[in-house]
Amino acid sequence: MNPKIRIVNEELLSDNWYLLKKITYMTETTNGSWTSQSRESYDRGNGATILLYNRERQTVILTRQFRIPTYMNGNETGMMIEACAGLLDKESPEDSIRRETEEETGYRIANVQKIGEAYMSPGSVTEILHFFVAEYSSGMKVGEGGGIEEEQENIEVLEYPFQRTLEMIKTGEIKDAKTIMLLQYAQINRLLEPGLRQQQILIAGPYRSGTGDDPNLIRRNMDFMNEMALRIYEAGHLPVLGEWYALPLIEKAGSRTIGDEIFDRIFHPSSVRLLNHCDAVLRIGGPSLGADEMVRTALELGKIVYRDLQEIPPCNGV
C-alpha cells in the first residue's frame, strides 16, 4: 500500500444496487505535512468487454440497449450501441467474457485474446475493465442472445460493417468509451485486413514427459513437434519450438545429462522468453506440465491459444 495515503474512515452511503462509500483519507504533501480529503467511491466490481469481428465478412458484432444514466444526461432515446460486456461474477475475465458473449449475442466462442485493461472512470468508480477481441463465424451462433430475462436485460444484437462503425464514432452514433477503444484497437492493429496477419506460433508439447528420459521416445516427441512446425509453416505462419533454441544453448553451456543443473536452468526459461515475442501457442501431444504452464502463461499475457492445428487459419504470408 502507498505509505503516503492513510484511510481514516469509510462510510457506507448506499448498498441498494452496488456499494457507494464516502472515503475520508489523509495524504502526505511534499513538505511532509498531512492533509485530509473526502471522496465518494462506487464499487460495482470488475468487468470484461469484447469485440467480435469477422475478417471474411468485414463485420463486427455490437449490441444496443437502454442506459438510464445517458438518458438523464442528454441522450434523447437513452439507447446506446456498445460492445458486449458484463461483470465478472467471481469468474476469471476469460470465462466471464465467454459467458457474456453467449448470453448477449448468441455466439459461443472458444479463443479470446486479451488486449489490455483499464479503469474506466477512476475519479469515482473502482471498476477495472478487461478488454478482449475474438473472431466469430456463423457456425459459432448457438442462440439468439439478448441477455438474461431474469436480470431484465433487453439487448438487441447488431452486425455492422467494420468501416461503418468507424464512421459512427465520428458522427456520434457510437459514444460508448469501451466500444470506441475496441474499434480503434481493431483499426490500429488491422485485425480485419483481408489475408490473416502472419503469426509467430510457439509449439508447446511433451519433450521429456512420459518418456522416462528414453532417448528414442524423446526423439519421437521431437519428430512429432517438428512435423507440426512444418504444417504451421506451410499454413503461412512462423513456427517456433523452445527446443530449437534451448538445446544448443544447453549443450554449449556444458550440460552432460538431461535434467542436470544446466539443463533445468536453461530449458523451460528459454521457452518463457520466446513466448513473450510470440503471437500464439499451439498445445499439442499428451500430458506435459511444462506445456500446460506455457498455456497458462500465454493466457495471462493475452496470447492466442490453439488446441488443434485445424484451429489455425491459413495465412498468405504477408
Side-chain angles (χ1 to χ4, degrees), residues 36-47:
S36 176
Q37 299 184 47
S38 292
R39 296 289 187 273
E40 290 183 1
S41 174
Y42 190 54
D43 184 355
R44 61 189 303 272
N46 296 325

Side-chain angles (χ1 to χ4, degrees), residues 63-251:
T63 65
R64 178 161 44 212
Q65 57 186 305
F66 180 75
R67 297 296 198 184
I68 187 65
T70 73
Y71 185 69
M72 302 299 293
N73 190 30
N75 184 0
E76 292 183 357
T77 65
M79 303 301 291
M80 291 288 287
I81 296 174
E82 306 177 26
C84 170
L87 296 179
L88 300 189
D89 290 340
K90 298 182 181 180
E91 300 168 302
S92 70
E94 291 81 3
D95 289 341
S96 175
I97 202 59
R98 290 189 188 97
R99 173 183 53 78
E100 287 287 348
T101 299
E102 185 170 340
E103 291 175 358
E104 291 194 4
T105 72
Y107 287 89
R108 182 175 296 163
I109 54 174
N111 290 315
V112 297
Q113 179 185 358
K114 186 173 180 181
I115 61 170
E117 54 189 61
Y119 290 99
M120 297 303 293
S121 186
S124 57
V125 181
T126 62
E127 180 186 30
I128 292 177
L129 195 60
H130 300 263
F131 287 77
F132 295 89
V133 295
E135 292 194 65
Y136 78 94
S137 65
S138 58
M140 297 177 182
K141 193 166 179 60
V142 296
E144 295 304 314
I148 303 298
E149 187 175 346
E150 306 88 81
E151 298 180 6
Q152 297 180 309
E153 292 181 325
N154 184 17
I155 299 170
E156 181 183 359
V157 183
L158 309 170
E159 185 175 42
Y160 283 124
F162 175 60
Q163 289 301 321
R164 182 184 171 192
T165 63
L166 299 178
E167 290 299 318
M168 293 169 73
I169 295 173
K170 296 177 182 178
T171 62
E173 295 173 82
I174 294 178
K175 291 184 177 179
D176 177 64
K178 64 180 180 293
T179 307
I180 294 172
M181 292 167 70
L182 284 167
L183 291 170
Q184 290 182 339
Y185 175 89
Q187 181 184 29
I188 292 169
N189 290 275
R190 303 184 294 180
L191 290 188
L192 283 86
E193 278 195 358
L196 180 67
R197 178 178 64 87
Q198 187 179 77
Q199 297 180 65
Q200 186 162 300
I201 301 174
L202 178 65
I203 301 170
Y207 171 70
R208 296 174 60 198
S209 299
T211 67
D213 289 342
D214 183 325
N216 292 321
L217 296 180
I218 289 175
R219 189 177 304 112
R220 182 197 63 186
N221 285 342
M222 280 298 301
D223 287 343
F224 175 63
M225 288 192 286
N226 282 328
E227 179 185 348
M228 294 299 102
L230 177 60
R231 293 172 67 179
I232 291 172
Y233 178 82
E234 290 173 341
H237 301 287
L238 181 64
V240 180
L241 263 174
E243 287 77 5
W244 294 346
Y245 175 65
L247 294 178
L249 293 179
I250 289 167
E251 182 179 359

